[in-house]
Amino acid sequence: MKRFLLAMSLFSAVAAIPAAAQTEIFNNPDNRPFWGIRASADVSFPGNYKSKLLSLKMFSPGTGFSVGAIYNLPLVANLYFEPGLNFYFDTYRFSDLVVGNSDESLTESDPPVHKAGFRVPLMFGYHFDIFPNNGGISIFTGPEASLGVSAKVKFKNEELRDEPGDLYGRESDMRRFDLAWRIGAGITVGKAWFSVAGSFGMTDLCKLEDISFRENRLYITLGYNFR
């Protein structure tokens, strides 16, 4: 009888191990709010200028970066809400555009655009704590609001510096505010964070009537969590 009870106890203990591990994967009892810092390499994919009659490629893709912080707030089980604030600097280039007159000294082809501002991602995600007490994988999605502070066309030719180069100026046709939808996946190892995400523009950034323009982006992010 004692041997039977001992065998049953060992069986119950062994059976409880995967159950406990399964619980931590989907509902970790150690979930706590925490702060984190983030740095991203950004790739911008400006869409075409579109109307009912045509689709015109105005810009070529470009690169940039963003830096900022997040606050991770557990909601239910391993579901979380993670707002953030980032400063960004993005670049891309006009495509097949020549600025200036026929004089070669006053001509510049495909001048670059430098954009800077702030982004506020509001992510909802779920983390699967595959590595007990040491991290796991996460999937997340949510809206991302951007406010442009500066968008300048950079002319190398000094004689073209008087050209209207502010894309947010009164005479420009680009809006400062952008709303996109971000979706991505990340991995946590200890306090380190790595993720890949994409955002898809939902706001028409062009002020011109009957013409629409949207921006999409790719983020490759490294981070550190203070937890």
Side-chain angles (χ1 to χ4, degrees):
M1 187 66 178
K2 290 183 179 180
R3 290 182 180 179
F4 174 77
L5 292 176
L6 179 60
M8 289 299 297
S9 298
L10 290 174
F11 177 80
S12 299
V14 171
I17 293 176
Q22 192 82 352
T23 300
E24 286 193 6
I25 291 176
F26 297 101
N27 186 8
N28 194 331
D30 293 329
N31 287 329
R32 299 290 186 275
F34 63 86
W35 292 91
I37 55 175
R38 301 288 187 263
S40 300
D42 306 345
V43 183
S44 298
F45 298 96
N48 293 350
Y49 273 48
K50 296 181 179 180
S51 70
K52 295 180 180 179
L53 299 177
L54 57 85
S55 178
L56 177 64
K57 182 180 180 181
M58 183 67 72
F59 302 103
S60 298
T63 58
F65 69 89
S66 55
V67 292
I70 57 90
Y71 182 69
N72 187 289
L73 180 64
L75 297 177
V76 178
N78 285 0
L79 179 70
Y80 63 87
F81 173 55
E82 187 176 277
L85 176 62
N86 298 322
F87 168 80
Y88 72 85
F89 178 81
D90 291 339
T91 68
Y92 45 75
R93 185 177 295 273
F94 278 97
S95 179
D96 301 325
L97 177 68
V98 176
V99 181
N101 56 31
S102 57
D103 186 345
E104 185 176 353
S105 64
L106 295 181
T107 300
E108 186 160 343
S109 178
D110 303 340
V113 177
H114 293 179
K115 299 179 65 177
F118 296 92
R119 290 197 181 103
V120 180
L122 303 172
M123 297 296 105
F124 289 89
Y126 203 95
H127 58 88
F128 303 90
D129 294 339
I130 299 173
F131 317 117
N133 302 318
N134 201 37
I137 59 175
S138 302
I139 55 175
F140 53 87
T141 189
E144 169 189 273
S146 300
L147 179 63
V149 175
S150 174
K152 300 286 187 179
V153 182
K154 296 297 181 179
F155 298 111
K156 294 181 180 180
N157 192 321
E158 294 184 0
E159 298 184 58
L160 290 174
R161 297 293 172 84
D162 293 333
E163 293 287 333
D166 185 1
L167 297 184
Y168 292 147
R170 293 182 179 180
E171 299 180 359
S172 73
D173 58 8
M174 184 176 289
R175 292 187 172 91
R176 294 177 181 269
F177 179 79
D178 186 17
L179 183 64
W181 193 268
R182 185 187 292 199
I183 183 170
I187 182 169
T188 303
V189 179
K191 296 183 178 181
W193 165 262
F194 172 77
S195 68
V196 176
S199 67
F200 306 92
M202 299 188 295
T203 301
D204 180 6
L205 298 178
C206 185
K207 298 178 183 177
L208 300 176
E209 294 184 8
D210 301 324
I211 296 179
S212 63
F213 164 66
R214 290 173 171 80
E215 288 185 6
N216 304 313
R217 286 174 290 274
L218 172 70
Y219 304 104
I220 301 174
T221 304
L222 295 175
Y224 185 88
N225 299 324
F226 300 94
R227 54 192 308 178

